[in-house]
Structure formats: structure tokens, C-alpha cells
Amino acid sequence: MSVQPTRYRGRFAPSPTGPLHPGSLTAALGSWLLARHHGGDWLLRIEDLDPPREVRGAAAQQIATLAAFGMTSDAPIVWQSTRGGAYADALERLLEDGFAFACRCSRNDLSDYEGIHHACIAPVAARADTTRQPAIRLRVGEGVVGFDDAIHGRFEQDVRGEVGDFVLRRADGLWAYQLAVVVDDAAQGITHVVRGADLLDSTPRQILLQRALELPTPAYAHLPLVRDASGRKLSKSDAARPVDPADPLPALRHALIALGQDARVLNGIGSVEIALQRALAAFDPTCIPREPMPSTETTLVSPG
Ligand code: GLU
């Protein structure tokens, strides 16, 4: 009997904190191109876990913008705000198995330790205060956690030393990104996580959680971040200029260049569908650079 190889399943998982900007479009396009290049599916997940940081209408706008760029989810979109039950089940299991623990340390308590938690040091009175919900943390043991990133190669981190026991559910009841992403990547059957390099150093934490929950570890590829013309990182929270869904081709060209691809394949093309087909046909994953392209402004190739 032959074993069926698992079909490639990638995803893009934006937080609805604003419109898509060149950096998030590059992550979306990179994950889409890699999924399609491997004959796989591409799923969309809205990471609406943190209401105070969300911008009303941003999720709908992101979904519409992706559609304008020719990228739509191959399965119903997962909204993390509806997934609390799954996160609660995972947390309960971690608590029962002794991997997670309740913690009443405040930010102030940990300030002498650069915010890194190695042992509960909250004053006795705070620890006994059952009127306040504790945070739940993952207990992180000694040792280096490593993985082979498709773009960056071997990446290793001493999670205990550099991060410490990290939060899974905050004292205010909000779910932490690290727990939600691990539970959802497994629930959606994601085989390949492709995202921005700003999340490279979150991956060892996610691998620790996968091990504790006995979930498979997907393959990882962390895409270069996009820089502005002066070499500064364009981040989600920066006032980066959003991409224009009404005129997708220039931003698509920009994203292809950030992914190390030859954007000349788009020359003379008028529709997004054909642009994506051309980009996919010419796509070479080995050209994706590790570091950001020096300046996306100067590397822009004018359409011929
Ligand atoms: N929601 C995260 C973000 O927008 C990305 C999570 C991920 O791709 O793992 O930064």
C-alpha cells in the first residue's frame, strides 16, 4: 500500500489592525506563490484576537484587497475570534499535563528581569488574590530549540534564556498569539507556514507548544521584510502607505521584486489574473532573498 504524500497547505494570517501595506502584501503573495508552485491550497485566517488593537472594518478591507490582487481562500476563512473553545481545550490540556501554570506576576514584578519569567516572584498577597484572574504561562525548560527554515537555514533559540516562560492566556482573558497560531495551524492542517521574517523568533515558541500538545510541526519559510527607500523596515504599525486595490499591478510588481523574482514578467500585462499566472509560471523559490532587497524604490523596474 502506498502512503499518500500530504498535500501542501499554506496560509496567510493577517491581524486586522489596518489595511494591507507592501510588507503584508509581500507575505500574502509569497505564501500564495509557494502554495500554488507546490500544487497546494492557500487558506486565509483572520487573527482577530486582540480587540483593542483592531481597526473596525479592517478585516473586510483586507479580504477585499486580497481578492482584488487575485488571492482568495480555498476554504472558508477562519476567524480567531470564534475559536475560543479550541484554545480553552488546548490550555486545559497543557495545565493538566503540567506544561502550563497560573501566574500572578505583574509587569512591574518582572521589570528587574527584563520581563523574562523564570519563576513566580509576585508578592504573597498578590498570589493569594483569587479575585483577579491569573495569566497562564508555558513552563519553558533548558535547551535550544531549532528548526530548518526554507529561506534562513538553521535557526536556533534558547527559549528559556531569551524569552522565558511565555504567556498563553493573558490576565485580562485575551488569548496569546502563540497559542492561537499553533492550535489553528494544526486545526487547518497547515503543512507550510510562510510569513514575514519578523516572526522568525516566534517559531521556537510555537514548536515548543506543538511538542507539548503533540501536534505536527509544519515546514517554515520566513520571507524578507520590505524596506522603504531609506532602508527602514515597513512594519504593520508604521504608517506605511496601504496598497491600492483599485490599481493592483504596481504593488504586485513591488511585492515580486521584494521576493527576488524577475518582475519583468509583468511587463505589458493589464489584468491581475494574467499577472498572477505569469508570476507563478516564472516563480523560482530559490531566488527569495534572506535579507530585504536594498531599496524597493530603486529596484522598481519600469513597465516596458
Ligand atoms: N497575525 C500575524 C501578523 O499579522 C501573523 C501570524 C502568522 O503568520 O503566523 O503578524
Side-chain angles (χ1 to χ4, degrees), residues 11 13-15 45 47 177 181 193 195 198-199 236:
R11 51 52 157 201
S15 304
R45 181 170 73 229
E47 301 211 318
Y177 156 69
V181 79
V193 170
R195 58 187 176 191
D198 53 335
L199 292 166
K236 281 153 259 198

Side-chain angles (χ1 to χ4, degrees), residues 216-246:
T217 290
Y220 287 96
H222 288 85
L223 301 170
L225 299 176
V226 175
R227 306 227 168 220
D228 69 12
S230 47
R232 279 188 302 262
K233 179 185 151 192
L234 293 182
S235 77
K236 281 153 259 198
S237 50
D238 284 344
R241 113 196 89 91
V243 295
D244 181 1

Side-chain angles (χ1 to χ4, degrees), residues 188-236:
Q188 291 185 279
I190 300 302
T191 60
H192 291 72
V193 170
V194 178
R195 58 187 176 191
D198 53 335
L199 292 166
L200 198 50
D201 65 1
S202 279
T203 305
R205 268 171 275 179
Q206 294 170 19
I207 291 173
L208 282 179
L209 271 171
Q210 287 152 1
R211 289 180 188 161
L213 288 165
E214 296 180 292
L215 297 173
T217 290
Y220 287 96
H222 288 85
L223 301 170
L225 299 176
V226 175
R227 306 227 168 220
D228 69 12
S230 47
R232 279 188 302 262
K233 179 185 151 192
L234 293 182
S235 77
K236 281 153 259 198

Side-chain angles (χ1 to χ4, degrees), residues 52-296:
R53 284 187 57 233
E54 272 156 39
V55 172
R56 190 185 276 273
Q61 195 185 6
Q62 290 174 337
I63 295 166
T65 301
L66 289 166
F69 280 85
M71 294 180 268
T72 52
S73 185
D74 291 320
I77 296 173
V78 168
W79 296 74
Q80 287 193 323
S81 54
T82 67
R83 301 270 305 142
Y87 309 147
D89 288 349
L91 193 72
E92 191 164 319
R93 176 165 167 190
L94 292 168
L95 284 164
E96 268 170 16
D97 293 349
F99 289 114
F101 61 96
C103 167
R104 294 178 186 279
C105 295
S106 67
R107 213 174 277 242
N108 201 23
D109 294 331
L110 298 174
S111 61
D112 287 345
Y113 305 89
E114 292 169 10
I116 296 179
H117 188 285
H118 283 149
C120 281
I121 51 170
V124 177
R127 285 197 224 184
D129 178 5
T130 49
T131 60
R132 224 172 34 96
Q133 186 174 237
I136 307 290
R137 291 180 184 269
L138 189 82
R139 197 183 309 283
V140 177
E142 304 280 348
V144 159
V145 182
F147 67 100
D148 294 306
D149 187 87
I151 297 162
H152 292 260
R154 188 79 189 156
F155 184 87
E156 294 188 335
Q157 189 182 49
D158 167 6
V159 183
R160 182 172 164 77
E162 290 177 35
V163 181
D165 303 323
F166 57 90
V167 172
L168 303 174
R169 195 188 66 204
R170 290 169 20 177
D172 62 9
L174 291 184
W175 297 105
Y177 156 69
Q178 306 292 354
L179 178 69
V181 79
V182 163
V183 169
D184 287 340
D185 280 338
Q188 291 185 279
I190 300 302
T191 60
H192 291 72
V193 170
V194 178
R195 58 187 176 191
D198 53 335
L199 292 166
L200 198 50
D201 65 1
S202 279
T203 305
R205 268 171 275 179
Q206 294 170 19
I207 291 173
L208 282 179
L209 271 171
Q210 287 152 1
R211 289 180 188 161
L213 288 165
E214 296 180 292
L215 297 173
T217 290
Y220 287 96
H222 288 85
L223 301 170
L225 299 176
V226 175
R227 306 227 168 220
D228 69 12
S230 47
R232 279 188 302 262
K233 179 185 151 192
L234 293 182
S235 77
K236 281 153 259 198
S237 50
D238 284 344
R241 113 196 89 91
V243 295
D244 181 1
D247 183 23
L249 289 172
L252 209 51
R253 176 179 291 277
H254 192 129
L256 266 185
I257 292 168
L259 292 169
Q261 308 299 306
D262 185 348
R264 284 173 302 188
V265 294
L266 303 191
N267 288 359
I269 287 183
S271 91
V272 163
E273 288 69 30
I274 297 178
L276 280 184
Q277 276 172 29
R278 289 278 179 88
L280 180 59
F283 180 58
D284 182 353
T286 64
C287 291
I288 300 175
R290 223 182 241 234
E291 300 303 327
M293 299 301 275
S295 158
T296 46

